Amino acid sequence: MNKAVVLGCNYYIGLSVIRCLGVEGVHVVACDYDFENSYGARSKYISEFLKVYNLNKDDRKTFIELLEYGKNQTEKPVLLPTHDKYVEFIDKYYDELEKYYLISQVKELNSKLLDKWTLYDIAKENGVKIPATISANDENLLKRIQDEVGFPCIIKPVDTVKFTKIFRNKVFICNNIEEMENGIKKAKDNDIEIFVQEIVPGFDDCMLTYDYYIDRNGRTTHYMTAQKQRQWPINFGASVFTIQKYNQKLVDISKPFLEKIGYRGFGEIEFKKHEKTGEIYLIEINARTTNFNNLIYKLGINMPYIAYLDLTGNLKESDCKYIDYDTNYAFIYGFEDMIAIWRYKKTKQVGILKSLKISFSRKWAPAIFAVDDLKPWFFFNKILLGKVFRKIFRRK
């Protein structure tokens, strides 16, 4: 049997991938540089641990260790990234890794899609709407901002991973020229390439997603659509409460676009609907397993296992599923969702009672909690409580 090597298990995305494969009896190899502090590493569905060097410090060392492991296997393992940095890592060493691993992503394409500037060029070429976007290095930046974008606007990085690591945020919100200039300076001081983009009007529930799988033959075999309700950080962050909601318009935009550009494997397109015009704008593509993978699994689409079957030649023509109806299910990341609810209330965007009403009207697909695999949840809360106590004692 081909093993499945899961790159990254220190976050709930990796944990979800491990569970989705393990429940089907796949030999799951958890691959990371720190298992001691990883709640995902507590899952009962892990068959083997592969400790590698921290790729943030020296990805060449990580590559050599991963290559040696692949060489020693009788069958090629399936290689599954759980974070953008792993997607870029696979692309960087694609030719060598492909000799010893089964990989779903197409060489170089996923890295291009993660590069926001390249993504918008690809979207434009294929007739997909995007928000007005201007390079921070444009000679006529101020005039173009006033004429094409206006305030408020956002500063976004080309490399989201590096930006988020430094600033603990996905964007800078700019309400005026001074804030924009300060944001540009901070990014450039940290050697981060950025651009300025218009804000598509609409609250967080205007954020929509199309999640999919495209097999080796370029056929979309599975998809579902969803609607965010809450994010953290609020307004420009990651999903903490998202409902499954069918949207045919997203399918009509996404399916032909992805197939035309030659995408393979699983992923997610994130859109935003203009609250007044109803027009839909592409915001970004997550070229790997997404935050609410457990929601997709609860709806009967096991994306990691589908990839495993496809790459090992066991995905049947009849193995297709499209969620083209509303299911009343929702993804929830409880810890950050509670913080988000409080923040929405504090900024007078949504009251606590309204947020709770939305939450308790749905069936939940939790990010970490699972009745049949409780150790990761207990360990996560242990880490959380430790942080709280340390913070209290520091204050004293």
Side-chain angles (χ1 to χ4, degrees):
M1 178 185 276
N2 305 75
K3 296 178 181 179
V5 176
V6 180
L7 292 176
C9 63
N10 63 342
Y11 194 50
Y12 61 77
I13 296 176
L15 173 61
S16 177
V17 174
I18 288 165
R19 286 169 170 168
C20 283
L21 294 166
V23 77
E24 296 293 342
V26 176
H27 182 104
V28 179
V29 182
C31 180
D32 216 318
Y33 65 89
D34 179 14
F35 293 120
E36 188 177 339
N37 300 302
S38 168
Y39 60 85
R42 267 64 188 171
S43 175
K44 72 176 186 180
Y45 291 110
I46 296 173
S47 304
E48 185 180 348
F49 292 92
L50 174 59
K51 189 171 183 178
V52 294
Y53 196 79
N54 185 346
L55 63 81
N56 292 316
K57 294 181 178 178
D58 189 341
D59 64 11
R60 182 72 189 174
K61 285 186 179 180
T62 310
F63 159 68
I64 291 169
E65 292 171 336
L66 203 58
L67 200 65
E68 285 302 311
Y69 180 83
K71 286 178 180 179
N72 292 322
Q73 305 308 306
T74 54
E75 299 287 342
K76 282 186 176 183
V78 173
L79 195 59
L80 299 168
T82 64
H83 191 277
D84 291 347
K85 65 183 179 181
Y86 294 115
V87 173
E88 293 170 341
F89 169 78
I90 291 172
D91 264 353
K92 183 175 180 179
Y93 298 104
Y94 192 96
D95 291 334
E96 293 92 340
L97 288 171
E98 193 184 30
K99 295 175 185 176
Y100 302 101
Y101 290 91
L102 299 173
I103 302 169
S104 64
Q105 68 193 62
V106 177
K107 182 181 177 181
E108 296 181 352
L109 177 62
N110 287 28
S111 289
K112 287 179 180 177
L113 297 175
L114 291 177
D115 182 314
K116 300 298 187 293
W117 199 247
T118 309
L119 170 62
Y120 293 128
D121 285 340
I122 294 172
K124 275 184 181 178
E125 289 168 9
N126 289 275
V128 177
K129 285 182 179 295
I130 61 169
T133 305
I134 304 169
S135 170
N137 297 319
D138 193 288
E139 292 180 359
N140 300 308
L141 180 62
L142 291 180
K143 186 176 187 309
R144 290 192 64 190
I145 293 298
Q146 291 168 344
D147 294 345
E148 301 172 37
V149 177
F151 291 101
C153 60
I154 53 174
I155 291 174
K156 292 184 75 172
V158 171
D159 182 350
T160 305
V161 175
K162 185 177 179 181
F163 187 92
T164 306
K165 186 178 180 181
I166 294 172
F167 299 113
R168 310 305 299 170
N169 229 321
K170 294 177 76 174
V171 300
F172 290 147
I173 303 171
C174 309
N175 294 297
N176 51 54
I177 291 174
E178 185 181 357
E179 289 182 4
M180 184 186 73
E181 290 176 338
N182 287 338
I184 291 172
K185 184 179 183 305
K186 281 196 289 185
K188 288 187 174 180
D189 286 347
N190 286 277
D191 196 29
I192 299 175
E193 187 181 352
I194 52 170
F195 53 87
V196 183
Q197 189 176 80
E198 85 172 292
I199 296 176
V200 178
F203 182 60
D204 289 5
D205 59 3
C206 288
M207 298 299 299
L208 312 170
T209 68
Y210 172 83
D211 294 82
Y212 56 88
Y213 189 83
I214 300 177
D215 70 11
R216 292 179 299 169
N217 299 316
R219 179 178 61 117
T220 301
T221 59
H222 299 75
Y223 66 69
M224 63 152 274
T225 59
Q227 178 183 10
K228 288 187 180 182
Q229 299 295 304
R230 294 188 289 273
Q231 305 180 99
W232 182 253
I234 64 171
N235 307 134
F236 296 96
S239 167
V240 292
F241 194 86
T242 293
I243 64 172
Q244 180 279 322
K245 190 173 181 63
Y246 181 61
N247 188 321
Q248 181 62 46
K249 199 170 182 180
L250 297 188
V251 179
D252 293 341
I253 295 170
S254 307
K255 188 173 178 291
F257 167 61
L258 291 162
E259 291 175 353
K260 185 179 178 183
I261 66 174
Y263 195 98
R264 296 292 185 271
F266 43 63
E268 174 188 86
I269 304 186
E270 192 169 298
F271 296 94
K272 188 168 185 182
K273 183 179 72 173
H274 194 295
E275 65 179 356
K276 293 179 180 176
T277 66
E279 290 184 301
I280 294 175
Y281 294 81
L282 185 150
I283 302 299
E284 65 180 9
I285 294 182
N286 293 310
R288 36 80 184 164
T289 307
T290 60
N291 288 48
F292 44 88
N293 183 59
N294 192 39
L295 169 62
I296 303 169
Y297 173 73
K298 291 280 187 184
L299 301 178
I301 298 179
N302 188 335
M303 289 288 194
Y305 188 56
I306 291 161
Y308 179 87
L309 292 176
D310 184 33
L311 293 171
T312 56
N314 293 302
L315 187 66
K316 300 173 185 175
E317 288 245 352
S318 58
D319 289 343
C320 298
K321 186 165 186 176
Y322 312 114
I323 309 297
D324 53 3
Y325 53 93
D326 295 343
T327 63
N328 202 43
Y329 265 92
F331 163 81
I332 182 170
Y333 180 29
F335 166 61
E336 288 191 350
D337 189 38
M338 287 189 291
I339 299 172
I341 288 173
W342 175 251
R343 188 64 182 167
Y344 283 117
K345 186 259 180 188
K346 195 172 182 181
T347 55
K348 299 181 180 179
Q349 295 183 56
V350 185
I352 290 178
L353 289 179
K354 185 177 180 180
S355 292
L356 294 177
K357 185 178 179 181
I358 292 170
S359 297
F360 288 102
S361 64
R362 303 277 169 174
K363 298 175 184 176
W364 291 356
I368 301 172
F369 181 83
V371 173
D372 65 335
D373 191 28
L374 285 170
K375 283 185 178 180
W377 183 77
F378 281 119
F379 192 75
F380 171 80
N381 283 287
K382 178 184 173 183
I383 294 171
L384 198 61
L385 285 171
K387 288 180 179 178
V388 170
F389 283 126
R390 283 194 295 273
K391 196 170 184 179
I392 290 170
F393 288 123
R394 272 202 305 268
R395 283 179 180 175
K396 287 183 178 180

